[in-house]
Amino acid sequence: MSQLTRRPRRLRSTPAIRRLVAETRVHPSQLILPVFVADGLDEPRPISSLPGVVQHTLESVRAEADAAAAAGLGGIAIFGVPDAGDKDESGTGGYAEDGILNRAVAAVRAETGDDLTIFADTCLDEFTTHGHCGVLDADGAVDNDATIELYGRQAVSQARAGAHFVAPSGMMDGQVGVIREALDLAGFSDVGILAYSAKYASAFYGPFREAVGSSLQGDRRAYQQDPANRREGRLEAALDELQGADIVMVKPAGHYLDVLADVAAASQVPVAAYQVSGEYAMIAAAAERGWIDRQAALTEAVTCIVRAGADVVLTYAARELAGWLR
Ligand code: PBG
């Protein structure tokens, strides 16, 4: 057997050699922590389907942002959770200056300044009584062109509140272009756009819907992409790049590594991937039962997302990962 010239195992034989030849390294600075900030809370409230994740108060999110900056994370992605009574048909709470999302953005910016990059969720679903990502037309369908005008207003309000990036997640056609124009006209040409470009209508958003108290009946298949489609992911990312996206994103991440690799190969701008609530929750739940090793599974999942081509990863485990990667 000594005539075997190629023995790939040689490069796996010690931890030091494995580290030496690892093709993929995950660094805390490429991780973004998604957080939820709820109106009218006295103290943080756990989210049952997202173990370890809470709805924050305006106070506690500041502490979370501090900890994220201290851990060396790249950024924080902020989602607002309004009082149920503050929702309406057109999601005005999403762009009101004193809406919970804009107050949260301002609070975090006051706390961490430029040390932590702030991404504001630019979407209306948390703020609409029907739970859809935009306004409805007479037939009850989401009205694309009326909705993107509102996204433009929302993005400007978020820039005013202190967001470094706005992050349109509603999958309306032309949303990035309208937002870019609105930001520039309002004097915010330095505020960037992280575009949720290839976002699929996924069952893995389940725990997020609990986290934001979603009012959605039905689904988002008339605007989010069909999980069966791969080529379309490239098209969506290319269109967003043309409209001025600074970073394009694929979402979910773990089951969409083919789409992610396609987008990464074609993109001229950095590529992000979102390890969504269901991806995180499945690992967390299995680990709670002792069926899987939490640290090993989360580290592997995020490493594989980076291996597939993500420059940036949104993950609920960002802070924990930063500690493990140290
Ligand atoms: C919509 C939005 C969703 C997520 C991020 N932004 C939910 C949806 O599209 O239904 C899901 C994120 C996750 O599951 O972690 N504003």
Side-chain angles (χ1 to χ4, degrees):
M1 261 344 231
S2 60
Q3 68 275 31
L4 250 184
T5 323
R6 304 299 320 175
R7 288 184 183 269
R9 284 186 55 185
R10 277 195 288 265
L11 293 181
R12 300 175 200 143
S13 54
T14 71
I17 295 173
R18 292 195 292 273
R19 276 198 300 277
L20 180 74
V21 300
E23 293 177 39
T24 304
R25 294 170 216 281
V26 181
H27 195 271
S29 60
Q30 71 191 132
L31 303 178
I32 296 177
L33 177 69
V35 295
F36 304 99
V37 184
D39 213 352
L41 282 188
D42 294 329
E43 55 186 276
R45 183 199 293 158
I47 299 160
S48 62
S49 56
L50 279 178
V53 183
V54 301
Q55 288 182 341
H56 281 286
T57 67
L58 283 168
E59 274 297 301
S60 70
V61 77
R62 293 176 78 127
E64 182 78 52
D66 265 336
L73 296 189
I76 190 166
I78 305 178
F79 295 91
V81 185
D83 270 343
D86 287 343
K87 297 186 183 188
D88 61 26
E89 288 282 298
S90 44
T92 48
Y95 42 93
E97 194 185 324
D98 63 350
I100 183 62
L101 179 51
N102 284 332
R103 279 186 286 142
V105 167
V108 171
R109 183 65 187 264
E111 187 71 22
T112 49
D114 291 338
D115 294 344
L116 190 64
T117 303
I118 299 169
F119 298 81
D121 184 52
T122 310
C123 196
L124 299 175
D125 61 305
E126 290 90 359
F127 303 94
T128 53
T129 39
H130 44 72
H132 278 294
C133 293
V135 287
L136 306 183
D137 64 19
D139 303 326
V142 177
D143 183 335
N144 191 89
D145 297 14
T147 296
I148 59 181
E149 293 308 320
L150 295 178
Y151 288 171
R153 274 168 69 173
Q154 184 178 27
V156 170
S157 75
Q158 293 170 337
R160 273 200 193 103
H164 295 95
F165 280 79
V166 298
S169 63
M171 289 304 283
M172 298 299 132
D173 293 335
Q175 62 187 11
V176 172
V178 164
I179 287 171
R180 186 67 271 159
E181 194 182 335
L183 287 171
D184 290 349
L185 278 171
F188 292 111
S189 54
D190 289 343
V191 170
I193 300 175
L194 163 66
Y196 286 67
S197 299
K199 176 173 176 179
Y200 288 84
S202 173
F204 294 96
Y205 304 152
F208 177 95
R209 305 249 170 103
E210 183 204 336
V212 299
S214 173
S215 309
L216 183 68
Q217 307 281 324
D219 61 60
R220 307 195 197 287
R221 290 176 200 274
Y223 42 106
Q224 297 178 348
Q225 288 177 248
D226 183 342
N229 294 347
R230 174 171 179 171
R231 189 183 293 124
E232 199 181 25
R234 268 197 312 253
L235 171 66
E236 287 282 7
L239 289 173
D240 283 358
E241 206 179 307
L242 282 172
Q243 290 169 47
D246 298 283
I247 304 174
V248 294
M249 184 150 75
V250 174
K251 174 188 174 187
H255 293 86
Y256 294 79
L257 296 182
D258 54 341
V259 178
L260 176 57
D262 285 353
V263 169
S267 182
Q268 310 210 55
V269 297
V271 177
Y274 196 147
Q275 181 187 47
V276 300
S277 56
E279 296 179 72
Y280 168 86
M282 287 192 300
I283 294 173
E288 276 180 0
R289 293 191 167 200
W291 290 352
I292 205 168
D293 179 319
R294 179 179 171 96
Q295 174 173 350
L298 283 167
T299 305
E300 178 179 332
V302 172
T303 301
C304 293
I305 291 166
V306 173
R307 188 199 64 219
D311 304 294
V312 171
V313 183
L314 278 78
T315 168
Y316 297 96
R319 268 228 279 142
E320 224 174 342
L321 281 161
W324 296 330
L325 294 167
R326 188 147 295 170

